[in-house]
Amino acid sequence: MIVVGIETSCDETGVAVYDSNRGLLGEALFSQVAMHADYGGVVPELASRDHIQRLVPLLDQVLEQASLTKQDIDAVAYTNGPGLIGALMVGATFARSLSYTLNIPAIGVHHMEGHLLAPMLEEQPPAFPFVALLVSGGHTQLVDVNGIGQYELLGDSVDDAAGEAFDKAAKMMGLDYPGGPRIAKLAEDGTPGRYKFPRPMTDRPGLAFSFSGLKTYTLNTIQAAKQNSDLSQQTLADIAYAFQEAVVETLAIKCRRALQATQHKRLVIAGGVSANKMLRDRLTSIAAKESATLFYPRPAFCTDNGAMIAYAGCQRLLAGEQEVDPIQPKPRWPMEALTAVET
Ligand code: ATP
Ligand code: MG
Ligand code: FE
């Protein structure tokens, strides 16, 4: 089955074509980051308009890459939420129009299920069951995964997501969006141990996260350095290091607990923050201590992309699901509401 995947939940237009027999055949992405940079955040209306302009050329590009024509497409998968309502509406309308005109089925995909299944596109995909750490711009969740659509939420953030904390801390350090990769780069020159940031909510049992306090801690540290006339490039790098270390260590502690609680021997990380090198290294050693194996997507599939939507949609289509109801994007959509797919 040849499935086109359409991702438009936020500020990235992703299109891909996945074949259940041959794997990923083509993939393209347009990022709107530069467009939103002047406004200090994503402007929803601009995002929607830009998705409209990008979808047709991206689809043409991907079909060309795959040496396919529209007539070869068997089905179309699109992100149906969670995300920005207008942006979601553009992708959903485009996908359902394709479905209608080509007379092929369409399926609405949960964006976080897409992230969660992205490691399945790699050469050594994880088998079920596993513990998943979803760490992105909008989510920080630990999930007990027993199959596609069989998700039990183990822990969530009570405030900011890890990626959001990276982005906000970066802003305080004078770095552009997205802040995660920029903090990671700056931290390479940081001095380990000069600053020690707190590891929020690790002093009590449970798998919940909180990253809002780390922001305040970062701001206070920067202001104190400023007052001592010590806000040099080196100091900023040292703060970046301490911030990253605190986020990574906090995530690692909870991942270890989740492995112990579930007794699963596989740990999957997905979402933008899973591209973080320090996090991958730290979790590799945590997994080893629990006799478990760590899985993650290639960096390009950690952040938003069409390939993960094509893959996730394909699995549900193969199980006989398809979207027949009127188009209805879901800006909020709990992952636990998804139905299990028999495999
Ligand atoms: P969601 O998937 O929850 O709706 P999103 O789609 O905006 O949110 P993603 O595209 O998965 O999130 O990831 C973007 C986030 O990942 C940003 O917050 C960014 O700073 C962060 N990120 C990307 N690369 C890295 C990295 N190397 N280290 C840390 N954070 C990173
Ligand atoms: Mg994004
Ligand atoms: Fe995402």
Side-chain angles (χ1 to χ4, degrees), residues 7 9 111-112 115 136-137 271-272 302-304 308:
E7 156 62 35
S9 68
H111 181 77
M112 296 315 292
H115 276 304
S136 56
C302 288
T303 42
D304 294 347
M308 66 186 195

Side-chain angles (χ1 to χ4, degrees), residues 70-93:
K70 288 194 183 71
Q71 277 62 43
D72 297 317
I73 309 171
D74 295 314
V76 51
Y78 59 96
T79 303
N80 203 35
L84 301 170
I85 180 71
L88 290 168
M89 188 56 99
V90 172
T93 312

Side-chain angles (χ1 to χ4, degrees), residues 3-7 14-18 75-78 306-307 309-311:
V3 181
V4 162
I6 308 281
E7 156 62 35
V15 179
V17 54
Y18 176 82
V76 51
Y78 59 96
I309 302 304
Y311 178 85

Side-chain angles (χ1 to χ4, degrees), residues 5 7 25 71 91 104 108 119 141 143 166 172 177 180 214 241 281 286 297 300 328:
E7 156 62 35
L25 302 180
Q71 277 62 43
I104 53 174
Q141 297 182 328
V143 188
F166 265 106
M172 297 171 195
Y177 181 89
L214 271 181
Y241 186 95
D281 291 348
I286 289 288
Q328 194 182 22

Side-chain angles (χ1 to χ4, degrees), residues 49-285:
R49 290 185 201 185
D50 204 64
H51 285 308
I52 294 175
Q53 290 188 305
R54 305 293 167 189
L55 279 168
V56 172
L58 283 173
L59 177 63
D60 288 343
Q61 186 184 329
V62 161
L63 289 175
E64 196 184 314
Q65 251 180 58
S67 304
L68 298 173
T69 68
K70 288 194 183 71
Q71 277 62 43
D72 297 317
I73 309 171
D74 295 314
V76 51
Y78 59 96
T79 303
N80 203 35
L84 301 170
I85 180 71
L88 290 168
M89 188 56 99
V90 172
T93 312
F94 181 75
R96 294 292 291 273
S97 306
L98 262 186
S99 152
Y100 184 73
T101 51
L102 297 171
N103 197 23
I104 53 174
I107 183 96
V109 172
H110 192 291
H111 181 77
M112 296 315 292
E113 177 168 77
H115 276 304
L116 179 93
L117 297 177
M120 300 297 183
L121 291 161
E122 301 308 326
E123 226 149 82
Q124 309 248 298
F128 299 111
F130 55 76
V131 168
L133 173 71
L134 297 177
V135 262
S136 56
H139 295 80
T140 307
Q141 297 182 328
L142 274 163
V143 188
D144 185 344
V145 180
N146 283 285
I148 295 176
Q150 297 178 49
Y151 310 129
E152 190 195 332
L153 189 62
L154 300 171
D156 207 345
S157 177
V158 298
D159 42 56
D160 291 358
E164 190 181 354
F166 265 106
D167 296 334
K168 289 175 177 169
K171 213 170 193 174
M172 297 171 195
M173 296 175 205
L175 303 172
D176 288 336
Y177 181 89
R182 293 188 161 95
I183 286 189
K185 184 90 191 67
L186 182 59
E188 282 172 16
D189 301 322
T191 318
R194 173 159 173 215
Y195 292 104
K196 169 122 192 205
F197 280 34
R199 276 77 167 131
M201 294 181 84
T202 54
D203 59 348
R204 68 203 85 169
L207 296 170
F209 300 98
S210 165
F211 290 106
S212 174
L214 271 181
K215 260 178 348 196
T216 318
Y217 200 91
T218 304
L219 187 64
N220 291 342
T221 308
I222 290 173
Q223 279 172 346
K226 212 182 256 170
Q227 262 159 21
N228 295 331
S229 307
D230 178 32
L231 198 59
S232 61
Q233 198 53 28
Q234 185 58 51
T235 296
L236 276 175
D238 297 344
I239 293 172
Y241 186 95
F243 174 85
Q244 175 175 246
E245 184 188 43
V247 174
V248 164
E249 198 50 36
T250 303
L251 293 171
I253 290 167
K254 301 285 163 103
C255 281
R256 189 169 193 183
R257 280 186 199 169
L259 285 173
Q260 288 168 347
T262 58
Q263 289 294 303
H264 292 335
K265 292 298 167 203
R266 284 171 289 263
L267 175 62
V268 165
I269 50 171
V273 183
S274 70
N276 188 275
K277 174 83 168 53
M278 191 193 240
L279 179 66
R280 291 179 173 202
D281 291 348
R282 190 75 188 96
L283 290 181
T284 300
S285 79

